[in-house]
Amino acid sequence: MLQGGIPNNLSNCSELRSILLDQNELVGRIPVELISLSKLVSLNLGRNNLMGNIPPPLGNLSSLVSLYLHYDSFEGSIPDELGQLAKLQNLETYSNKLSANLGLTLPNLKYLYLSENAFTGLIPVSLPNASRLAVISFANNNFSGPMPGNFGRLQDINILFGVGGGDNDLSFLTSLTNCSHLEGLYLYSNRLSGQIPSSIGNITRLVKLYLDGNCLQGSIPLSLGNCRHLETLVLSRNKLNGTIPKEILSFHSLVTLNIDQNSLVGSLPPDVGKLELLQYLFASHNKLMGEIPREINNCLSLEVLNLSNNLFQGAIPLSLSNFKGIKLLDLSHNNLSGHIPEALQKFPFLEYLDLSSNDLEGQIVFKNSSKFSILGNKKLCGGIPQFWLPVCPKNAPKKDGMSISLKVIISIVGAVLGLILLSFLFATVFWVRRKASTRLLPAFFLEGQFLNVSYADLFKATGGFSLDNLIGVGSYGSVYKGLLDHDQTCVAVKVFNLQEHGASRSFMVECEALRNIRHRNLVKIISACSSIDFKGNDFKALEFEYMPNGSLEKWLHPSVHWNQELWSWNLIQRLDIAIDVASALEYLHHHCQISVIHRDLKPSNVLLDDDMCAHVGDFGLARFLSNAATNTSQDQTTFTTQAYPFNPCI
């Protein structure tokens, strides 16, 4: 991993054709000396921490084919007078100078990546002068104003990522109908507004179309049916209304269809059965109604089907049993009724099935509670104990003329089998409890004040342990922000990476340390979870009270983009934090039933709440001092070896 600045003496390599310095920790500015590298073909400085002014003469690198300036910290706007190169302020200015004068100074440029920076201003109308451009990426910047309408001049363009900032609608797509090679439009999260124009259907070679995360309104245009090569169509997280046109279900090559989180109404057309290659279908959080069409069983390649949070009614189609490769099936929060097809409970590759909040009835035979969710179906019965469902009622005996002797024989046989089964059940329970006791799991879970949460609860609360919710990474695992469903409690979920040596022991130590300690300056534990994940792997996690102001480490050593309010702290505020930490340590050392030594106290383990009150956390390396150890000044790690009445999460 390279650090520091880009050396000026690179310019001595006059024959240099490629500079590939991406994915490092480079800082500072781009050296002006690079302008002497007249044979340079590729300049890749992406994924660093570069910023500042960019030497304007770099625009004279006429051999340049690839320019990657993405995922850095460049900013600035495009100058009004593109010829006044001496007034360029920063990389964005340079990048857009390239855009504006590209056809003259950079005639060979094909790949232009400016995404994930802080560029501002307008995207120049002269950008299409670079007629050989094949890939352009503007995504996730702060451009303003409308997108230029002359992109049709880019005859070789193949992929377009992002279109900049606000005040944009999709009218510029009309010009793209002349781009005969355009296959990928990635216009997600661009604050686009208005309706999707019907002219989009004229871009007939489209393979991937992403319009998600915008403010698009109106209906889905029927003209999209002209895009016969579409493999991915993502329109989620908009304000689209109307019905699902059957025209978009005629793409025989479609693999992914995502129309989540809109206001679509009507039924799911039976034409969905024509999508024989479809693997991912997301249509949740709409207002779709009617029955789930039986024709969907023709989608034999489906791996994910999410129709949750709609108004679907009727029975679950038996035809869904044809989905032998299904991994995730979510039909929750609808008005489905009737029995659960037994075949749904036996999919070989199923990782998760959610049928909660419907009106389903009858007996269930699910064997693994971590793979299934059936909450909110009041008419279900039976199943394993973890579902907490009532016992199914016995059917009234039929008057079939059965002889008394036969009834007696059947009763005796049934009683014997019942005794055998009961004995086996008791043996199994005894074995499980004995095994649980040997794992030395902590004892506080059944004290009545800790929540009993499942892996599925934590999976849902953290958005599937999404990177968007990742708030920290440590030696033995990662910490995610989550929102528990049952009471909307905001928690920090510490998930242990059990592949790391010592992670399981760290989990045990932290549980033991947190079992009996209570103090205003210690991080409050909400619950703990020791179970298996959807893939059958061991899973261990702790849930703590969420600290919105993060760690002291981030305040002492803020990142470049972070709000550095620390510098406005006065002496009293700083002393308050020091006193909070000292109070926590004084409690741990002198006022616990068994004294605790933290052994890993550092700024990253001091967390700050809404009132900037400090809380000490992370007891994974703690040691406990017994009375004997205290008297002899020798510390030792101790665990209670009794069989705790531990109830693992399910």
Side-chain angles (χ1 to χ4, degrees):
M1 185 70 70
L2 299 177
Q3 298 178 337
I6 301 174
N8 298 337
N9 56 11
L10 272 179
S11 59
N12 297 333
C13 306
S14 59
E15 298 296 318
L16 196 63
R17 294 178 180 272
S18 297
I19 298 179
L20 307 177
L21 299 176
D22 56 311
Q23 302 187 58
N24 284 290
E25 296 179 356
L26 299 177
V27 296
R29 304 170 182 271
I30 298 179
V32 67
E33 289 80 5
L34 296 185
I35 64 174
S36 63
L37 301 176
S38 59
K39 297 182 180 180
L40 194 65
V41 174
S42 179
L43 177 59
N44 189 343
L45 305 178
R47 299 181 185 275
N48 283 286
N49 295 312
L50 297 171
M51 58 188 301
N53 296 327
I54 304 302
L58 284 181
N60 295 323
L61 299 176
S62 58
S63 298
L64 202 63
V65 173
S66 303
L67 178 60
Y68 295 87
L69 305 177
H70 56 310
Y71 289 92
D72 276 296
S73 300
F74 298 116
E75 58 186 3
S77 59
I78 305 172
D80 294 332
E81 300 296 332
L82 296 174
Q84 298 176 358
L85 301 182
K87 295 183 179 180
L88 296 180
Q89 298 297 316
N90 51 35
L91 180 57
E92 196 211 353
T93 306
Y94 163 61
S95 304
N96 291 281
K97 171 264 170 183
L98 298 178
S99 303
N101 206 18
L102 223 41
L104 300 176
T105 57
L106 295 173
N108 296 306
L109 193 67
K110 291 185 178 180
Y111 307 100
L112 177 61
Y113 284 79
L114 307 179
S115 57
E116 303 293 343
N117 282 286
F119 295 148
T120 58
L122 300 174
I123 296 175
V125 296
S126 52
L127 176 63
N129 290 341
S131 57
R132 294 190 179 183
L133 274 173
V135 179
I136 304 175
S137 179
F138 294 142
N140 295 325
N141 280 286
N142 296 318
F143 291 120
S144 60
M147 186 71 175
N150 58 349
F151 266 58
R153 297 167 58 184
L154 298 174
Q155 296 295 312
D156 293 332
I157 190 169
N158 183 263
I159 297 176
L160 174 61
F161 287 93
V163 295
D167 304 321
N168 261 303
D169 56 33
L170 288 176
S171 59
F172 74 94
L173 290 181
T174 303
S175 68
L176 297 180
T177 59
N178 297 322
C179 301
S180 58
H181 295 88
L182 186 59
E183 294 184 358
L185 266 178
Y186 299 81
L187 306 182
Y188 50 84
S189 301
N190 274 275
R191 292 174 286 176
L192 296 170
S193 59
Q195 297 189 3
I196 304 175
S198 59
S199 58
I200 196 171
N202 296 328
I203 312 175
T204 56
R205 296 195 60 174
L206 272 180
V207 175
K208 298 182 183 295
L209 176 60
Y210 289 83
L211 298 177
D212 51 307
N214 289 291
C215 299
L216 300 175
Q217 301 175 343
S219 59
I220 301 174
L222 305 182
S223 60
L224 269 176
N226 298 330
C227 304
R228 297 291 180 180
H229 301 286
L230 266 180
E231 295 178 2
T232 301
L233 176 59
V234 182
L235 304 175
S236 58
R237 296 183 293 121
N238 280 290
K239 300 178 181 179
L240 298 174
N241 51 39
T243 60
I244 302 175
K246 62 180 182 180
E247 284 78 6
I248 71 169
L249 303 177
S250 60
F251 310 132
H252 297 293
S253 57
L254 197 63
V255 175
T256 300
L257 174 60
N258 190 339
I259 52 177
D260 275 351
Q261 300 184 47
N262 282 287
S263 298
L264 299 173
V265 298
S267 63
L268 181 62
D271 297 77
V272 70
K274 298 179 181 179
L275 305 177
E276 297 179 356
L277 300 180
L278 191 66
Q279 296 181 18
Y280 307 96
L281 174 56
F282 301 89
S284 67
H285 292 86
N286 281 287
K287 300 177 183 178
L288 301 176
M289 59 184 64
E291 296 186 353
I292 300 174
R294 291 176 296 176
E295 290 79 3
I296 200 171
N297 72 317
N298 295 325
C299 305
L300 298 179
S301 301
L302 265 179
E303 295 183 10
V304 176
L305 175 60
N306 189 345
L307 302 178
S308 64
N309 291 273
N310 279 288
L311 303 173
F312 287 112
Q313 58 190 26
I316 299 175
L318 293 174
S319 58
L320 293 187
S321 60
N322 291 338
F323 298 154
K324 301 301 182 182
I326 197 76
K327 295 180 180 178
L328 185 148
L329 177 58
D330 192 346
L331 304 178
S332 63
H333 296 275
N334 280 288
N335 298 319
L336 299 173
S337 58
H339 291 75
I340 301 175
E342 187 173 345
L344 296 191
Q345 308 174 47
K346 299 179 180 179
F347 285 136
F349 302 106
L350 187 67
E351 296 178 3
Y352 192 61
L353 171 63
D354 193 347
L355 302 176
S356 58
S357 298
N358 280 288
D359 192 30
L360 300 171
E361 61 182 81
Q363 184 175 6
I364 62 172
V365 294
F366 295 123
K367 301 299 183 183
N368 186 342
S369 61
S370 65
K371 284 187 177 183
F372 308 102
S373 178
I374 55 173
L375 298 175
N377 290 280
K378 299 180 180 180
K379 300 178 183 179
L380 291 176
C381 63
I384 56 179
Q386 288 86 344
F387 287 129
W388 298 99
L389 293 175
V391 178
C392 294
K394 297 181 179 179
N395 295 326
K398 298 181 180 179
K399 297 181 179 180
D400 51 4
M402 184 183 298
S403 65
I404 296 177
S405 58
L406 182 57
K407 290 181 180 180
V408 171
I409 293 173
I410 293 176
S411 299
I412 294 174
V413 172
V416 172
L417 292 177
L419 287 173
I420 295 174
L421 180 61
L422 191 59
S423 300
F424 176 77
L425 180 60
F426 277 123
T428 301
V429 171
F430 176 80
W431 179 82
V432 169
R433 288 188 175 181
R434 184 171 182 177
K435 183 177 180 181
S437 68
T438 62
R439 293 169 63 187
L440 307 181
L441 291 167
F444 58 72
F445 291 84
L446 289 184
E447 293 181 358
Q449 54 183 323
F450 296 93
L451 296 175
N452 189 11
V453 295
S454 68
Y455 172 80
D457 292 334
L458 298 182
F459 185 88
K460 186 174 182 180
T462 58
F465 303 106
S466 166
L467 291 178
D468 294 337
N469 290 322
L470 183 66
I471 57 178
V473 178
S475 301
Y476 294 124
S478 304
V479 181
Y480 299 86
K481 180 180 179 181
L483 190 65
L484 295 179
D485 261 356
H486 76 286
D487 61 356
Q488 298 299 296
T489 300
C490 190
V491 295
V493 182
K494 182 177 181 180
V495 179
F496 288 79
N497 180 9
L498 301 181
Q499 302 301 317
E500 288 289 336
H501 178 70
S504 293
R505 183 179 181 277
S506 178
F507 172 78
M508 298 296 304
V509 171
E510 195 153 1
C511 288
E512 182 73 11
L514 294 170
R515 182 175 58 167
N516 292 315
I517 59 176
R518 300 290 184 276
H519 192 271
R520 65 181 295 271
N521 295 121
L522 296 178
V523 175
K524 179 182 178 182
I525 187 168
I526 303 297
S527 185
C529 179
S530 177
S531 184
I532 58 174
D533 60 19
F534 292 158
K535 296 182 179 180
N537 301 317
D538 285 340
F539 175 83
K540 287 181 171 59
L542 296 172
E543 298 83 61
F544 298 96
E545 181 181 7
Y546 176 66
M547 297 291 162
N549 278 314
S551 69
L552 183 60
E553 172 77 18
K554 293 183 178 179
W555 288 80
L556 294 175
H557 306 289
S559 63
V560 175
H561 300 292
W562 204 64
N563 185 11
Q564 302 184 23
E565 295 181 4
L566 176 64
W567 307 118
S568 64
W569 283 3
N570 55 41
L571 179 60
I572 298 300
Q573 291 171 310
R574 297 169 187 253
L575 283 174
D576 284 342
I577 291 179
I579 292 171
D580 288 341
V581 175
S583 297
L585 293 179
E586 197 269 343
Y587 168 79
L588 292 172
H589 293 172
H590 302 293
H591 299 289
C592 292
Q593 183 179 3
I594 297 179
S595 298
V596 179
I597 301 178
H598 190 284
R599 299 182 69 219
D600 194 22
L601 188 64
K602 54 188 177 182
S604 61
N605 288 337
V606 177
L607 304 177
L608 304 173
D609 63 16
D610 281 320
D611 299 321
M612 300 303 291
C613 178
H615 301 257
V616 175
D618 198 343
F619 288 80
L621 298 180
R623 281 183 179 264
F624 314 101
L625 297 181
S626 65
N627 293 331
T630 303
N631 295 331
T632 59
S633 300
Q634 296 177 348
D635 65 329
Q636 61 181 356
T637 302
T638 60
F639 291 102
T640 306
T641 57
Q642 67 185 34
Y644 291 122
F646 175 74
N647 183 18
C649 67
I650 56 174

